[in-house]
Amino acid sequence: MIPRSLFSAEHEDFRRSFRRFVDEEIVPFHAQWEEDQHVDRKIWTRAGELGFLCVTMAEAYGGAGADRLYSTIMLEELTKAGATGVGFSLHSDIVANYIDHFGNDRQKSQWLPRMASGELITAIAMTEPGAGSDLQAIKATAVPDGDHYVLNGTKTFITNGYLCDLVVVAAKTGAVGDGARGISLLLVEANSPGFSKGKPLKKVGWKAQDTCELFFENVRVPRSHLLGEEGGGFKALMKELAWERLTIAIAGIACAEESLRSTLEYARNRKIFGSPLADYQNTRFRLAELKAEVAIGRVFVDQCIGMLLEHRLAPDDAAIAKYWCSELLGRVVDRCVQFHGGNGYMLEYPIARAYVDSRVHRIFGGANEVMLELIARAM
């Protein structure tokens, strides 16, 4: 494929270091974490010790002041290893960015260093049972009451929800009918009275990821825990959603590449009618088609990453990347499962795990039908 030009020698050194960490301290335990429905909390503190959390944060807050290429590398390596249970990216690249970009100095000093060390695990709570891709439809409310807000509502499908210590919660602080203008972001500590968590949800894939429901019943949140301006939550969410959607594209194309690589290896070793599967023209042509599509997707994603680093990535471009790569991933893993035959349906094979884990790419970060609507609006 076309050589990648985004990464320096320092980036590749970091990639090797992080890959070693994944191979030695995550992969051997991931199957057990899938049984547990959450990762061992110790992996968070270990990642913090090694400097793998919140790397883009300033050194003053415990980060490394690195660019988002380091985040890209970690996301790619976790994806290639099938380590879907480890929610580092949401913690380091989504929640930390909200606090860094919209928080005040006190909030940054209070939370970011503990996030970088792994002492504190974070989540973001936007989705509700009746409101997913349409964030303006959320029902959770935070009513002002003296020096506090009184928070009520239910959130669902919350990544890192079961282990989290701190949650960024999107809630309505404005009057009914205010729509997007009435949404604010609150920093809510997990030990707050009235805040409770459901058990990890039983999902089709991503079984080691501690996804759960969160319940808020008259939770008193100090006004000092308002993140950004009151009523400015929707605008803040929109600013970070482009990066979130690009991370889905980054993971999607990395998974497609790894699925194609492992399938090619399988086809070269698997014999049918006395010859390797890869010797048959149908196999070669179908794999060649997939390689062409994946190569094109890789170039587009890398171009989007480059534009993001220059602060030029438009929201509709991020939506295109998320839509295209998640749809492509679905086609790739489906075809690759077919080449594996019955083995492709066995979870001991990486392609089977990729098959069940990849389906959600077309749903989270905004369903692909919503992506099409966003793209159409920008035309």
Side-chain angles (χ1 to χ4, degrees):
M1 295 190 185
I2 296 174
R4 305 180 72 182
S5 57
L6 285 172
F7 305 103
S8 67
E10 289 76 14
H11 288 121
E12 294 303 340
D13 286 341
F14 179 81
R15 184 186 296 276
R16 284 187 288 272
S17 176
F18 186 70
R19 183 186 299 137
R20 184 166 55 250
F21 167 66
V22 171
D23 289 343
E24 294 177 358
E25 304 196 42
I26 293 178
V27 171
F29 308 102
H30 202 269
Q32 181 59 53
W33 296 342
E34 290 187 340
E35 293 291 331
D36 298 338
Q37 292 186 271
H38 60 84
V39 304
D40 190 328
R41 193 181 180 96
K42 292 179 181 177
I43 198 63
W44 285 88
T45 53
R46 179 61 175 155
E49 290 172 3
L50 296 174
F52 292 141
L53 297 178
C54 302
V55 295
T56 63
M57 296 302 102
E59 293 184 22
Y61 299 123
D67 58 52
R68 281 181 168 170
L69 289 175
Y70 288 85
S71 300
T72 298
I73 288 168
M74 288 190 285
L75 188 57
E76 289 178 348
E77 294 306 317
L78 286 170
T79 299
K80 290 177 182 178
T84 54
V86 185
F88 293 164
S89 181
L90 180 129
H91 171 90
S92 298
D93 301 311
I94 305 298
V95 179
N97 281 332
Y98 281 118
I99 296 174
D100 187 43
H101 294 166
F102 305 109
N104 55 43
D105 290 340
R106 185 194 60 76
Q107 290 170 336
K108 293 178 185 180
S109 298
Q110 182 176 1
W111 306 117
L112 289 177
R114 295 166 65 194
M115 290 175 64
S117 70
E119 174 191 348
L120 200 74
I121 298 174
T122 60
I124 183 162
M126 294 187 284
T127 302
E128 298 180 0
S133 299
D134 181 10
L135 294 177
Q136 297 185 55
I138 63 173
K139 301 296 184 184
T141 60
V143 179
D145 181 26
D147 293 332
H148 291 77
Y149 293 97
V150 180
L151 175 63
N152 282 280
T154 299
K155 300 291 182 176
T156 192
F157 307 144
I158 307 305
T159 301
N160 295 345
Y162 188 68
L163 292 178
C164 72
D165 306 293
L166 180 73
V167 190
V168 176
V169 179
K172 291 285 185 71
T173 53
V176 176
D178 278 354
R181 293 170 306 202
I183 297 176
S184 301
L185 300 180
L186 301 175
L187 291 159
V188 183
E189 297 177 89
N191 60 1
S192 301
F195 177 16
S196 60
K197 306 173 182 179
K199 294 181 180 179
L201 298 169
K202 293 184 178 181
K203 305 182 296 297
V204 172
W206 289 56
K207 293 185 177 181
Q209 169 49 240
D210 58 312
T211 312
C212 75
E213 291 183 299
L214 303 180
F215 306 98
F216 306 93
E217 185 175 357
N218 294 323
V219 179
R220 296 187 65 81
V221 183
R223 281 182 175 267
S224 61
H225 285 200
L226 174 69
L227 187 60
E229 298 179 356
E230 186 172 296
F234 188 81
K235 184 177 179 181
L237 291 171
M238 291 303 101
K239 285 185 177 180
E240 291 301 315
L241 273 177
W243 168 237
E244 179 181 349
R245 286 166 180 161
L246 183 56
T247 65
I248 297 171
I250 291 168
I253 203 69
C255 186
E257 288 175 336
E258 180 61 20
S259 297
L260 181 57
R261 184 204 64 76
S262 64
T263 300
L264 181 57
E265 180 181 354
Y266 181 87
R268 286 169 173 164
N269 291 296
R270 177 70 170 180
K271 289 189 176 182
I272 183 170
F273 301 124
S275 298
L277 183 60
D279 285 354
Y280 292 91
Q281 186 181 71
N282 178 70
T283 305
R284 297 199 307 274
F285 280 14
R286 299 293 82 78
L287 290 175
E289 289 172 347
L290 295 182
K291 179 177 180 178
E293 288 194 78
V294 171
I296 292 167
R298 163 55 64 205
V299 173
F300 183 74
V301 169
D302 279 2
Q303 179 69 15
C304 286
I305 295 170
M307 293 173 67
L308 179 87
L309 295 173
E310 297 173 354
H311 307 288
R312 295 191 298 113
L313 183 66
D316 57 306
D317 290 329
I320 291 171
K322 190 271 183 185
Y323 165 77
W324 173 257
C325 291
S326 58
E327 294 288 340
L328 170 62
L329 176 58
R331 295 194 299 272
V332 169
V333 295
D334 185 75
R335 184 63 61 81
C336 289
V337 164
Q338 192 70 19
F339 280 126
H340 281 73
N343 289 332
Y345 211 62
M346 300 295 109
L347 287 173
E348 64 187 274
Y349 284 82
I351 193 61
R353 297 193 295 274
Y355 183 77
V356 296
D357 287 336
S358 65
R359 184 59 182 86
V360 74
H361 281 237
R362 285 177 269 174
I363 299 173
F364 61 16
N368 277 4
E369 290 73 17
V370 174
M371 296 302 100
L372 291 174
E373 177 65 22
L374 296 175
I375 295 164
R377 289 179 183 179
M379 292 174 65

